[in-house]
Amino acid sequence: MFANTPEPPYFAVIFTSRQTADIDSRKYAAVAQHMLELAQQQPGFLGVESAREDVGITVSYWSSREAIRAWGQQAEHLVAQKLGREKFYEHFILRIAEVQEARFFE
Amino acid sequence: MFANTPEPPYFAVIFTSRQTADIDSRKYAAVAQHMLELAQQQPGFLGVESAREDVGITVSYWSSREAIRAWGQQAEHLVAQKLGREKFYEHFILRIAEVQEARFFE
């Protein structure tokens, strides 16, 4: 639920999206789950946090910009990105950011 | 729903939280709404995106680290932060990040 990230600096991909009205939710869930499993196997993957209401926000954490670039070019992920643009998402913003500071409360 | 942010660089506060089981949802909603209104009046505020399921993720965008620091010290916001730690949140992580790149799709 929370990403157990190391001390900063590390990197975040903040992906904010709105799904299409006619989305195939079952297919979307299957693709999203498979992408999560693949991401977890990628070098430099640190964790992910996700929630969806009107918009979905998924923040994935990575050790470097290079690790993010490599994940963006992963073959199955490229297919999923195409599906995303063509079928799943009406609108999205993807932001790449360097996490410089983190505070935990429990 | 989407933050209409300018060209990078700018800054993001990624706030991931889990609410307490016995949260007063009405009070929480009122405080959250008031904080949003105050944040929008702060110098350097660029926008906010938010969703909650098992965890809540709120990403607010700011023009500078200084703008984030000033908002963190705003008097009413300090009171809300105390309420957050004492009443609203069981667990949270607050990360401050520099957005270096952004891509839009519509």
Side-chain angles (χ1 to χ4, degrees):
Chain A
M1 218 148 72
F2 288 87
N4 185 21
T5 42
E7 280 295 298
Y10 50 89
F11 291 82
V13 178
I14 306 164
F15 183 76
T16 308
S17 64
R18 188 168 55 221
Q19 295 180 332
T20 50
D22 64 347
I23 191 167
D24 179 341
S25 297
R26 204 163 144 183
K27 183 168 186 184
Y28 175 78
V31 173
Q33 178 59 32
H34 186 50
M35 286 307 111
L36 176 61
E37 287 163 13
L38 285 180
Q40 287 168 338
Q41 295 166 27
Q42 282 283 311
F45 177 83
L46 300 176
V48 65
E49 294 163 349
S50 197
R52 178 172 296 279
E53 284 182 300
D54 295 335
V55 293
I57 304 177
T58 296
V59 189
S60 58
Y61 299 98
W62 301 85
S63 60
S64 67
R65 291 285 303 252
E66 174 53 27
I68 293 170
R69 197 201 60 76
W71 169 235
Q73 297 302 317
Q74 200 272 1
E76 286 186 79
H77 188 203
L78 285 171
V79 175
Q81 287 171 52
K82 190 162 183 288
L83 267 175
R85 287 188 302 268
E86 291 176 359
K87 302 282 187 191
F88 297 149
Y89 300 122
E90 191 175 299
H91 186 159
F92 68 71
I93 307 179
L94 183 153
R95 296 177 175 95
I96 298 175
E98 182 186 24
V99 178
Q100 300 175 340
E101 192 180 330
R103 293 175 223 155
F104 294 75
F105 168 78
E106 183 134 39
Chain B
M1 218 148 69
F2 289 87
N4 185 22
T5 42
E7 280 295 297
Y10 52 88
F11 291 82
V13 178
I14 305 164
F15 182 77
T16 307
S17 63
R18 188 168 55 221
Q19 295 179 333
T20 50
D22 64 345
I23 192 168
D24 179 341
S25 297
R26 203 164 143 180
K27 184 168 187 184
Y28 174 78
V31 172
Q33 178 59 32
H34 186 50
M35 286 308 112
L36 176 61
E37 288 163 12
L38 285 180
Q40 288 169 337
Q41 297 166 28
Q42 281 283 310
F45 177 83
L46 301 176
V48 65
E49 294 163 350
S50 197
R52 178 173 296 280
E53 284 181 298
D54 296 333
V55 293
I57 304 177
T58 296
V59 189
S60 60
Y61 300 99
W62 301 86
S63 60
S64 67
R65 292 282 306 249
E66 174 54 27
I68 293 170
R69 198 201 60 75
W71 169 235
Q73 297 301 317
Q74 200 272 0
E76 286 185 80
H77 188 203
L78 286 171
V79 175
Q81 289 171 50
K82 188 162 186 288
L83 267 175
R85 288 188 302 267
E86 290 175 0
K87 302 281 186 190
F88 297 149
Y89 300 121
E90 192 176 298
H91 185 160
F92 68 71
I93 307 178
L94 183 153
R95 296 178 175 95
I96 299 175
E98 182 187 24
V99 178
Q100 299 176 339
E101 191 180 331
R103 293 175 223 156
F104 294 76
F105 168 79
E106 183 135 39

